[in-house]
mmCIF file of all heavy atoms in Angstrom:
data_model
loop_
_atom_site.group_PDB
_atom_site.id
_atom_site.type_symbol
_atom_site.label_atom_id
_atom_site.label_comp_id
_atom_site.label_asym_id
_atom_site.label_seq_id
_atom_site.Cartn_x
_atom_site.Cartn_y
_atom_site.Cartn_z
ATOM 1 N N TYR A 38 -31.444 -12.861 9.483
ATOM 2 C CA TYR A 38 -30.008 -12.637 9.657
ATOM 3 C C TYR A 38 -29.632 -12.729 11.128
ATOM 4 O O TYR A 38 -30.404 -12.342 11.997
ATOM 5 C CB TYR A 38 -29.618 -11.240 9.157
ATOM 6 C CG TYR A 38 -29.904 -11.004 7.703
ATOM 7 C CD1 TYR A 38 -31.094 -10.420 7.293
ATOM 8 C CD2 TYR A 38 -28.977 -11.357 6.728
ATOM 9 C CE1 TYR A 38 -31.356 -10.189 5.949
ATOM 10 C CE2 TYR A 38 -29.227 -11.143 5.381
ATOM 11 C CZ TYR A 38 -30.417 -10.557 5.004
ATOM 12 O OH TYR A 38 -30.670 -10.333 3.677
ATOM 13 N N GLY A 39 -28.426 -13.185 11.377
ATOM 14 C CA GLY A 39 -27.902 -13.197 12.735
ATOM 15 C C GLY A 39 -27.312 -11.844 13.089
ATOM 16 O O GLY A 39 -27.165 -10.961 12.234
ATOM 17 N N GLU A 40 -26.935 -11.686 14.331
ATOM 18 C CA GLU A 40 -26.323 -10.433 14.802
ATOM 19 C C GLU A 40 -25.061 -10.096 14.026
ATOM 20 O O GLU A 40 -24.734 -8.936 13.837
ATOM 21 C CB GLU A 40 -26.005 -10.528 16.297
ATOM 22 C CG GLU A 40 -27.198 -10.341 17.197
ATOM 23 C CD GLU A 40 -27.834 -8.963 17.059
ATOM 24 O OE1 GLU A 40 -27.108 -7.952 17.031
ATOM 25 O OE2 GLU A 40 -29.069 -8.907 16.984
ATOM 26 N N TRP A 41 -24.327 -11.101 13.592
ATOM 27 C CA TRP A 41 -23.086 -10.902 12.848
ATOM 28 C C TRP A 41 -23.294 -10.069 11.592
ATOM 29 O O TRP A 41 -22.363 -9.424 11.106
ATOM 30 C CB TRP A 41 -22.490 -12.260 12.445
ATOM 31 C CG TRP A 41 -23.448 -13.058 11.611
ATOM 32 C CD1 TRP A 41 -24.366 -13.957 12.051
ATOM 33 C CD2 TRP A 41 -23.624 -12.966 10.204
ATOM 34 N NE1 TRP A 41 -25.107 -14.458 11.006
ATOM 35 C CE2 TRP A 41 -24.666 -13.855 9.852
ATOM 36 C CE3 TRP A 41 -23.016 -12.236 9.195
ATOM 37 C CZ2 TRP A 41 -25.114 -14.022 8.539
ATOM 38 C CZ3 TRP A 41 -23.456 -12.406 7.885
ATOM 39 C CH2 TRP A 41 -24.497 -13.292 7.582
ATOM 40 N N ALA A 42 -24.522 -10.075 11.054
ATOM 41 C CA ALA A 42 -24.785 -9.427 9.766
ATOM 42 C C ALA A 42 -24.583 -7.911 9.819
ATOM 43 O O ALA A 42 -24.191 -7.308 8.821
ATOM 44 C CB ALA A 42 -26.186 -9.765 9.280
ATOM 45 N N VAL A 43 -24.826 -7.295 10.966
ATOM 46 C CA VAL A 43 -24.658 -5.839 11.071
ATOM 47 C C VAL A 43 -23.200 -5.475 10.803
ATOM 48 O O VAL A 43 -22.903 -4.609 9.969
ATOM 49 C CB VAL A 43 -25.123 -5.319 12.451
ATOM 50 C CG1 VAL A 43 -24.845 -3.821 12.580
ATOM 51 C CG2 VAL A 43 -26.604 -5.609 12.667
ATOM 52 N N ASP A 44 -22.284 -6.151 11.480
ATOM 53 C CA ASP A 44 -20.862 -5.880 11.261
ATOM 54 C C ASP A 44 -20.449 -6.224 9.838
ATOM 55 O O ASP A 44 -19.651 -5.512 9.232
ATOM 56 C CB ASP A 44 -20.004 -6.675 12.250
ATOM 57 C CG ASP A 44 -20.105 -6.132 13.659
ATOM 58 O OD1 ASP A 44 -20.441 -4.945 13.833
ATOM 59 O OD2 ASP A 44 -19.848 -6.901 14.606
ATOM 60 N N ARG A 45 -20.979 -7.294 9.298
ATOM 61 C CA ARG A 45 -20.635 -7.702 7.931
ATOM 62 C C ARG A 45 -21.055 -6.611 6.935
ATOM 63 O O ARG A 45 -20.294 -6.236 6.055
ATOM 64 C CB ARG A 45 -21.304 -9.034 7.603
ATOM 65 C CG ARG A 45 -21.294 -9.469 6.143
ATOM 66 C CD ARG A 45 -19.912 -9.747 5.553
ATOM 67 N NE ARG A 45 -19.198 -10.822 6.160
ATOM 68 C CZ ARG A 45 -19.072 -12.034 5.645
ATOM 69 N NH1 ARG A 45 -19.649 -12.348 4.509
ATOM 70 N NH2 ARG A 45 -18.361 -12.945 6.267
ATOM 71 N N VAL A 46 -22.264 -6.085 7.096
ATOM 72 C CA VAL A 46 -22.752 -5.060 6.167
ATOM 73 C C VAL A 46 -21.915 -3.794 6.284
ATOM 74 O O VAL A 46 -21.545 -3.184 5.269
ATOM 75 C CB VAL A 46 -24.253 -4.767 6.406
ATOM 76 C CG1 VAL A 46 -24.714 -3.544 5.628
ATOM 77 C CG2 VAL A 46 -25.084 -5.991 6.027
ATOM 78 N N ILE A 47 -21.574 -3.408 7.482
ATOM 79 C CA ILE A 47 -20.733 -2.221 7.681
ATOM 80 C C ILE A 47 -19.365 -2.443 7.035
ATOM 81 O O ILE A 47 -18.819 -1.556 6.374
ATOM 82 C CB ILE A 47 -20.620 -1.873 9.173
ATOM 83 C CG1 ILE A 47 -21.988 -1.392 9.683
ATOM 84 C CG2 ILE A 47 -19.539 -0.832 9.425
ATOM 85 C CD1 ILE A 47 -22.096 -1.271 11.181
ATOM 86 N N ARG A 48 -18.833 -3.630 7.177
ATOM 87 C CA ARG A 48 -17.542 -3.967 6.557
ATOM 88 C C ARG A 48 -17.654 -3.912 5.033
ATOM 89 O O ARG A 48 -16.771 -3.375 4.354
ATOM 90 C CB ARG A 48 -17.119 -5.362 7.004
ATOM 91 C CG ARG A 48 -15.719 -5.712 6.596
ATOM 92 C CD ARG A 48 -15.298 -7.016 7.214
ATOM 93 N NE ARG A 48 -14.931 -6.795 8.610
ATOM 94 C CZ ARG A 48 -14.583 -7.742 9.448
ATOM 95 N NH1 ARG A 48 -14.567 -8.993 9.063
ATOM 96 N NH2 ARG A 48 -14.255 -7.466 10.678
ATOM 97 N N ILE A 49 -18.733 -4.425 4.480
ATOM 98 C CA ILE A 49 -18.955 -4.375 3.034
ATOM 99 C C ILE A 49 -19.010 -2.925 2.571
ATOM 100 O O ILE A 49 -18.375 -2.549 1.573
ATOM 101 C CB ILE A 49 -20.246 -5.131 2.645
ATOM 102 C CG1 ILE A 49 -20.071 -6.636 2.869
ATOM 103 C CG2 ILE A 49 -20.642 -4.835 1.197
ATOM 104 C CD1 ILE A 49 -21.373 -7.424 2.813
ATOM 105 N N GLN A 50 -19.749 -2.104 3.275
ATOM 106 C CA GLN A 50 -19.858 -0.684 2.919
ATOM 107 C C GLN A 50 -18.487 -0.013 2.939
ATOM 108 O O GLN A 50 -18.163 0.791 2.065
ATOM 109 C CB GLN A 50 -20.804 0.034 3.886
ATOM 110 C CG GLN A 50 -22.253 -0.270 3.671
ATOM 111 C CD GLN A 50 -22.755 0.295 2.369
ATOM 112 O OE1 GLN A 50 -23.002 -0.446 1.425
ATOM 113 N NE2 GLN A 50 -22.890 1.589 2.288
ATOM 114 N N THR A 51 -17.685 -0.332 3.926
ATOM 115 C CA THR A 51 -16.348 0.254 4.035
ATOM 116 C C THR A 51 -15.488 -0.152 2.842
ATOM 117 O O THR A 51 -14.759 0.672 2.280
ATOM 118 C CB THR A 51 -15.681 -0.194 5.354
ATOM 119 O OG1 THR A 51 -16.498 0.236 6.448
ATOM 120 C CG2 THR A 51 -14.292 0.380 5.501
ATOM 121 N N LEU A 52 -15.583 -1.403 2.439
ATOM 122 C CA LEU A 52 -14.797 -1.884 1.310
ATOM 123 C C LEU A 52 -15.260 -1.255 0.002
ATOM 124 O O LEU A 52 -14.439 -0.901 -0.854
ATOM 125 C CB LEU A 52 -14.848 -3.408 1.242
ATOM 126 C CG LEU A 52 -14.169 -4.111 2.423
ATOM 127 C CD1 LEU A 52 -14.490 -5.604 2.418
ATOM 128 C CD2 LEU A 52 -12.670 -3.875 2.407
ATOM 129 N N TYR A 53 -16.571 -1.079 -0.167
ATOM 130 C CA TYR A 53 -17.076 -0.366 -1.347
ATOM 131 C C TYR A 53 -16.554 1.069 -1.352
ATOM 132 O O TYR A 53 -16.120 1.583 -2.383
ATOM 133 C CB TYR A 53 -18.605 -0.350 -1.382
ATOM 134 C CG TYR A 53 -19.232 -1.543 -2.075
ATOM 135 C CD1 TYR A 53 -20.163 -2.323 -1.414
ATOM 136 C CD2 TYR A 53 -18.913 -1.871 -3.384
ATOM 137 C CE1 TYR A 53 -20.752 -3.415 -2.031
ATOM 138 C CE2 TYR A 53 -19.494 -2.964 -4.015
ATOM 139 C CZ TYR A 53 -20.418 -3.729 -3.340
ATOM 140 O OH TYR A 53 -21.001 -4.799 -3.961
ATOM 141 N N ALA A 54 -16.590 1.718 -0.200
ATOM 142 C CA ALA A 54 -16.110 3.099 -0.107
ATOM 143 C C ALA A 54 -14.627 3.202 -0.437
ATOM 144 O O ALA A 54 -14.162 4.242 -0.921
ATOM 145 C CB ALA A 54 -16.387 3.655 1.287
ATOM 146 N N ALA A 55 -13.882 2.123 -0.202
ATOM 147 C CA ALA A 55 -12.455 2.097 -0.524
ATOM 148 C C ALA A 55 -12.214 1.876 -2.012
ATOM 149 O O ALA A 55 -11.076 1.906 -2.465
ATOM 150 C CB ALA A 55 -11.752 1.011 0.282
ATOM 151 N N GLY A 56 -13.275 1.644 -2.769
ATOM 152 C CA GLY A 56 -13.146 1.501 -4.215
ATOM 153 C C GLY A 56 -13.110 0.080 -4.722
ATOM 154 O O GLY A 56 -12.890 -0.149 -5.910
ATOM 155 N N LEU A 57 -13.336 -0.896 -3.851
ATOM 156 C CA LEU A 57 -13.320 -2.289 -4.292
ATOM 157 C C LEU A 57 -14.662 -2.659 -4.898
ATOM 158 O O LEU A 57 -15.704 -2.154 -4.470
ATOM 159 C CB LEU A 57 -13.005 -3.225 -3.123
ATOM 160 C CG LEU A 57 -11.528 -3.386 -2.780
ATOM 161 C CD1 LEU A 57 -10.944 -2.108 -2.229
ATOM 162 C CD2 LEU A 57 -11.331 -4.508 -1.812
ATOM 163 N N ASN A 58 -14.642 -3.550 -5.879
ATOM 164 C CA ASN A 58 -15.894 -4.006 -6.476
ATOM 165 C C ASN A 58 -16.395 -5.247 -5.740
ATOM 166 O O ASN A 58 -15.686 -5.824 -4.914
ATOM 167 C CB ASN A 58 -15.721 -4.270 -7.979
ATOM 168 C CG ASN A 58 -14.704 -5.335 -8.282
ATOM 169 O OD1 ASN A 58 -14.607 -6.353 -7.588
ATOM 170 N ND2 ASN A 58 -13.921 -5.128 -9.326
ATOM 171 N N SER A 59 -17.609 -5.663 -6.060
ATOM 172 C CA SER A 59 -18.217 -6.771 -5.314
ATOM 173 C C SER A 59 -17.454 -8.077 -5.492
ATOM 174 O O SER A 59 -17.366 -8.877 -4.562
ATOM 175 C CB SER A 59 -19.687 -6.946 -5.701
ATOM 176 O OG SER A 59 -19.814 -7.212 -7.076
ATOM 177 N N LYS A 60 -16.861 -8.297 -6.655
ATOM 178 C CA LYS A 60 -16.091 -9.529 -6.866
ATOM 179 C C LYS A 60 -14.885 -9.567 -5.935
ATOM 180 O O LYS A 60 -14.596 -10.584 -5.308
ATOM 181 C CB LYS A 60 -15.649 -9.620 -8.324
ATOM 182 C CG LYS A 60 -14.902 -10.886 -8.650
ATOM 183 C CD LYS A 60 -14.516 -10.930 -10.121
ATOM 184 C CE LYS A 60 -13.707 -12.177 -10.414
ATOM 185 N NZ LYS A 60 -13.250 -12.207 -11.801
ATOM 186 N N LYS A 61 -14.180 -8.452 -5.840
ATOM 187 C CA LYS A 61 -13.000 -8.387 -4.970
ATOM 188 C C LYS A 61 -13.430 -8.494 -3.497
ATOM 189 O O LYS A 61 -12.771 -9.156 -2.700
ATOM 190 C CB LYS A 61 -12.244 -7.086 -5.216
ATOM 191 C CG LYS A 61 -10.940 -6.977 -4.470
ATOM 192 C CD LYS A 61 -9.937 -8.044 -4.870
ATOM 193 C CE LYS A 61 -9.521 -7.889 -6.301
ATOM 194 N NZ LYS A 61 -8.647 -8.948 -6.794
ATOM 195 N N ILE A 62 -14.535 -7.854 -3.151
ATOM 196 C CA ILE A 62 -15.024 -7.924 -1.773
ATOM 197 C C ILE A 62 -15.381 -9.364 -1.411
ATOM 198 O O ILE A 62 -15.072 -9.835 -0.323
ATOM 199 C CB ILE A 62 -16.220 -6.974 -1.557
ATOM 200 C CG1 ILE A 62 -15.753 -5.515 -1.677
ATOM 201 C CG2 ILE A 62 -16.878 -7.214 -0.199
ATOM 202 C CD1 ILE A 62 -16.880 -4.503 -1.698
ATOM 203 N N ALA A 63 -16.000 -10.075 -2.345
ATOM 204 C CA ALA A 63 -16.357 -11.475 -2.089
ATOM 205 C C ALA A 63 -15.111 -12.316 -1.827
ATOM 206 O O ALA A 63 -15.136 -13.234 -1.006
ATOM 207 C CB ALA A 63 -17.145 -12.044 -3.262
#
Side-chain angles (χ1 to χ4, degrees):
Y38 300 94
E40 282 298 315
W41 58 269
V43 176
D44 288 336
R45 168 64 63 102
V46 170
I47 292 169
R48 189 173 282 176
I49 291 167
Q50 286 292 107
T51 301
L52 294 169
Y53 272 125
L57 278 68
N58 61 39
S59 60
K60 183 179 177 184
K61 186 62 65 185
I62 293 171

